[in-house]
C-alpha cells in the first residue's frame, strides 16, 4: 500500500492518511497547502474517491458520481478538478468547490479534467482519440482538430485560456513525415 504525503521545510514529511482504505495518492498542491488526490475507501480497496486535504481539516472525501473518482488539479482559489465514473462506468470530468460540491462539466461523459486556473479555465481529455476540451463559464470548446491535427492531449492552461499540450499526427507507430505535415497544412 501507499500513502499520500505533504512535505514542508518546517515540518518535514507528513503522512496524509486515507479515506478508510489502505492507499492514497496525491496529485497536486496549491500555494495555500491544499492537496488533492484519491484514496481507497472503507467500502473496498477497489473503490477510490477524490480527496482534498488541509492541515486544519485533514482529508475530506469529495464524493463521486457513482463509481471511482480522482482529483487531479487544484487552483489558488481551492477549486478542484478531476474525473469520476458515473453509475454506468463512464468517466466524467468534474469541478468541485466548497460552496457547490462536485458538479459535472460536460453533458456527456467520456473525459476527465486535468487542469484548472484561478479564472476557472479548465482543460481535460478523454480516453478515446484524445477528446481534449477547454471549459470556461459553463461552456466547453472541443480542442480536437482536423486535417493534420486530428488528436490532442492537454497538459496545461493559463488564465487567458491558452492551452498547451501534444498533438498526434498519426495512429500507432505511423506518423506524418515533415513533408506530409507541410502538405496537410
Amino acid at each position: 500500500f501507499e500513502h499520500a504525503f505533504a512535505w514542508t521545510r518546517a515540518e518535514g514529511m507528513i503522512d496524509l492518511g486515507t479515506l478508510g482504505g489502505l492507499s492514497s495518492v496525491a496529485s497536486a498542491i496549491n500555494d495555500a497547502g491544499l492537496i488533492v488526490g484519491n484514496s481507497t475507501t472503507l467500502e473496498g480497496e477497489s473503490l477510490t474517491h477524490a480527496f482534498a486535504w488541509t492541515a486544519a481539516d485533514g482529508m475530506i472525501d469529495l464524493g463521486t458520481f457513482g463509481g471511482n473518482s480522482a482529483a487531479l488539479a487544484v487552483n489558488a482559489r481551492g477549486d478542484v478538478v478531476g474525473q469520476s465514473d458515473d453509475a454506468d462506468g463512464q468517466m466524467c470530468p468534474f469541478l468541485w468547490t466548497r460552496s457547490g460540491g462536485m458538479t459535472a462539466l460536460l453533458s456527456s461523459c467520456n473525459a476527465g479534467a486535468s487542469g484548472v486556473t484561478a479564472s476557472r479555465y479548465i482543460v481535460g481529455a478523454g480516453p478515446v482519440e484524445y477528446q481534449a476540451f477547454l471549459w470556461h463559464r459553463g461552456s466547453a470548446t472541443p480542442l480536437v482538430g482536423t486535417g493534420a491535427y486530428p488528436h490532442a492531449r492537454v497538459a496545461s492552461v493559463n488564465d487567458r485560456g491558452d492551452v498547451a499540450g501534444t498533438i498526434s499526427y498519426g495512429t500507432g507507430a505511423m506518423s506524418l513525415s515533415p513533408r506530409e505535415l507541410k502538405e496537410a497544412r
Side-chain angles (χ1 to χ4, degrees):
F1 65 93
E2 56 193 7
H3 278 199
F5 72 88
W7 181 92
T8 66
R9 292 179 196 268
E11 297 182 39
M13 190 174 290
I14 302 163
D15 185 334
L16 303 187
T18 71
L19 294 172
L22 294 176
S23 299
S24 60
V25 176
S27 300
I29 185 172
N30 70 8
D31 286 342
L34 177 64
I35 297 172
V36 300
N38 65 287
S39 171
T40 55
T41 68
L42 278 175
E43 298 175 43
E45 286 308 302
S46 62
L47 187 62
T48 62
H49 281 201
F51 73 77
W53 180 95
T54 64
D57 298 327
M59 191 175 284
I60 300 167
D61 189 335
L62 301 185
T64 178
F65 294 139
N68 294 308
S69 63
L72 301 174
V74 59
N75 67 13
R77 297 165 46 161
D79 301 327
V80 179
V81 297
Q83 61 195 40
S84 177
D85 296 338
D86 65 12
D88 296 328
Q90 292 291 311
M91 181 174 58
C92 305
F94 72 79
L95 167 65
W96 180 93
T97 64
R98 284 196 184 269
S99 61
M102 185 181 285
T103 57
L105 293 176
L106 304 177
S107 59
S108 64
C109 294
N110 200 18
S114 57
V116 58
T117 69
S119 299
R120 284 197 184 135
Y121 281 98
I122 299 170
V123 291
V128 180
E129 298 189 7
Y130 309 116
Q131 298 158 336
F133 67 90
L134 170 67
W135 183 95
H136 188 63
R137 296 184 180 158
S139 178
T141 302
L143 301 180
V144 176
T146 59
Y149 309 107
H151 309 296
R153 289 181 304 219
V154 292
S156 188
V157 60
N158 66 22
D159 274 323
R160 293 188 320 223
D162 301 328
V163 178
T166 303
I167 54 177
S168 172
Y169 293 105
T171 59
M174 299 177 65
S175 63
L176 294 175
S177 69
R179 186 183 95 241
E180 291 169 322
L181 175 58
K182 187 176 180 181
E183 290 171 0
R185 288 184 181 163

